[in-house]
Amino acid sequence: MMWGNWTIVNKFVLVGFSALSSELQALLFLLFLTIYLITLMGNVLIILVTTADSALQSPMYFFLRNLSFLEIGFNLVIVPKMLGTLIIQNTTISFFGCATQMYFFFFFGAAECCLLATMAYDRYVAICDPLRYPVIMGHKACAQLAAASWFAGFPVATVQTSWIFSFPFCGPNRVNHFFCDSPPVIALVCADTSLFELEALTATVLFILFPFLLILGSYVRILSTIFRMPSAEGKRKAFSTCSSHLLVVSLFYSTAILTYFRPRSSTSPESKKLLSLSYTVVTPMLNPIIYSLRNNEVKAALRRVIHRTLSPQKL
């Protein structure tokens, strides 16, 4: 549509992986579809097992259940559209569809950052102050911490998305990414975005860097406490309760920080796509695998659930 000398954009084109050959795109479709199904099944399984098994009703598994819900939402926002662009070359996305995808990407991303920090705090209290753990991490406190983590996604998603899509888009409409992320979309704006970019940097520090520093501080105290334990068995048990979370945090934050804290000039669009794939597609798949393979309680609970499901009911 034309308005004065501007071309008003009412849809976007996701460039995605269109530069690749059709054969390679078909292979990527099969790969990402497999990862997507594993992610959904793994996280649903974590939710079912931690809900059904009475031995997994501690705060750690309550937060893990919330993390699985977030990972499912995160995947549903990004992957189905990406699969569509790969298999049927449906690369267009409406203005509203792009805004909706970006909103929920911000929402689930900010909520996950805060929830990972909450999980680190839970492990800190459990290891560094075990006698007061049941009091500090009661049912009410856990529910409030989880609700606060989820709620944290609303302000950043609302402010960022509404601000971006209030700008005029009057030129090219090709988003050089496989989803509507903020940097490639804001590059299409034909207005001064310096104030927004300052706000976006502030939001990134608050919702990515600040939770990461809280997690880092928690684990410094946790490791200090573990190393002071007199018995090797006590050290092993303490470390085993937080090693899975530490690995998940490392995977998520390493790629997120590389994506959003590197200067634009030092990162090509293609490398940004690869980094984005790691925390939007690969990490959500690895989380349930890490928590199930590295956690003896989850493995034992999974065996009990399978046994109860497959064994005949006693009359």
Side-chain angles (χ1 to χ4, degrees):
M1 294 191 305
M2 296 298 297
W3 184 39
N5 293 325
W6 288 356
T7 302
I8 306 303
V9 173
N10 56 16
K11 65 180 179 181
F12 295 96
V13 176
L14 296 173
V15 174
F17 307 98
S18 57
L20 302 176
S21 66
S22 56
E23 293 81 6
L24 191 52
Q25 288 188 55
L27 288 175
L28 286 178
F29 170 80
L30 293 175
L31 174 63
F32 293 149
L33 178 61
T34 302
I35 292 174
Y36 179 58
L37 294 176
I38 292 173
T39 300
L40 291 182
M41 290 188 292
N43 282 289
V44 167
L45 191 61
I46 289 288
I47 292 168
L48 293 177
V49 169
T50 57
T51 302
D53 196 272
S54 58
L56 301 183
Q57 301 307 307
S58 66
M60 181 173 74
Y61 297 110
F62 170 74
F63 293 127
L64 176 58
R65 191 156 56 244
N66 277 267
L67 180 63
S68 290
F69 276 116
L70 281 174
E71 296 288 26
I72 290 171
F74 206 61
N75 241 230
L76 289 174
V77 169
I78 305 296
V79 180
K81 180 61 181 176
M82 182 179 67
L83 293 175
T85 63
L86 286 169
I87 194 63
I88 59 175
Q89 302 299 306
N90 180 22
T91 58
T92 61
I93 185 170
S94 68
F95 189 89
F96 178 76
C98 187
T100 302
Q101 187 184 55
M102 185 181 293
Y103 181 91
F104 284 104
F105 169 73
F106 282 140
F107 169 74
F108 286 117
E112 182 163 344
C113 288
C114 294
L115 185 64
L116 288 173
T118 300
M119 295 172 76
Y121 174 71
D122 170 70
R123 293 298 82 209
Y124 162 75
V125 177
I127 294 173
C128 299
D129 198 359
L131 295 180
R132 297 178 59 211
Y133 180 70
V135 177
I136 297 173
M137 301 301 293
H139 291 297
K140 184 178 179 181
C142 289
Q144 290 173 338
L145 287 169
S149 298
W150 281 85
F151 180 77
F154 284 109
V156 64
T158 302
V159 172
Q160 295 271 83
T161 307
S162 59
W163 198 342
I164 288 174
F165 287 91
S166 68
F167 284 120
F169 293 88
C170 48
N173 66 340
R174 292 173 62 83
V175 179
N176 195 5
H177 214 322
F178 57 86
F179 71 101
C180 287
D181 196 6
S182 171
V185 172
I186 206 69
L188 304 178
V189 169
C190 49
D192 181 18
T193 60
S194 56
L195 185 60
F196 167 80
E197 290 178 18
L198 179 61
E199 182 277 335
L201 178 61
T202 304
T204 303
V205 169
L206 285 176
F207 290 95
I208 294 182
L209 191 59
F210 184 64
F212 175 72
L213 292 176
L214 290 177
I215 293 169
L216 192 62
S218 297
Y219 274 103
V220 168
R221 294 292 303 275
I222 287 170
L223 293 175
S224 175
T225 301
I226 290 175
F227 289 141
R228 289 201 305 268
M229 290 180 177
S231 68
E233 181 65 17
K235 291 179 180 179
R236 187 192 65 79
K237 286 184 177 180
F239 188 74
S240 67
T241 64
C242 59
S243 59
S244 298
H245 177 256
L246 188 57
L247 184 55
V248 167
V249 166
S250 301
L251 288 171
F252 180 82
Y253 272 101
S254 59
T255 52
I257 289 174
L258 283 173
T259 301
Y260 292 104
F261 282 94
R262 291 176 70 182
R264 290 183 184 179
S265 58
S266 67
T267 310
S268 68
E270 300 308 316
S271 64
K272 283 188 176 181
K273 290 177 191 177
L274 290 175
L275 287 171
S276 298
L277 278 174
S278 62
Y279 68 83
T280 59
V281 178
V282 179
T283 301
M285 176 196 69
L286 293 178
N287 286 354
I289 296 174
I290 291 168
Y291 275 105
S292 58
L293 293 181
R294 295 182 60 86
N295 190 303
N296 291 327
E297 289 182 337
V298 173
K299 287 190 287 188
L302 184 58
R303 286 193 292 267
R304 288 193 295 269
V305 170
I306 293 173
H307 178 74
R308 287 199 300 265
T309 302
L310 298 180
S311 62
Q313 295 287 329
K314 292 183 179 181
L315 298 176

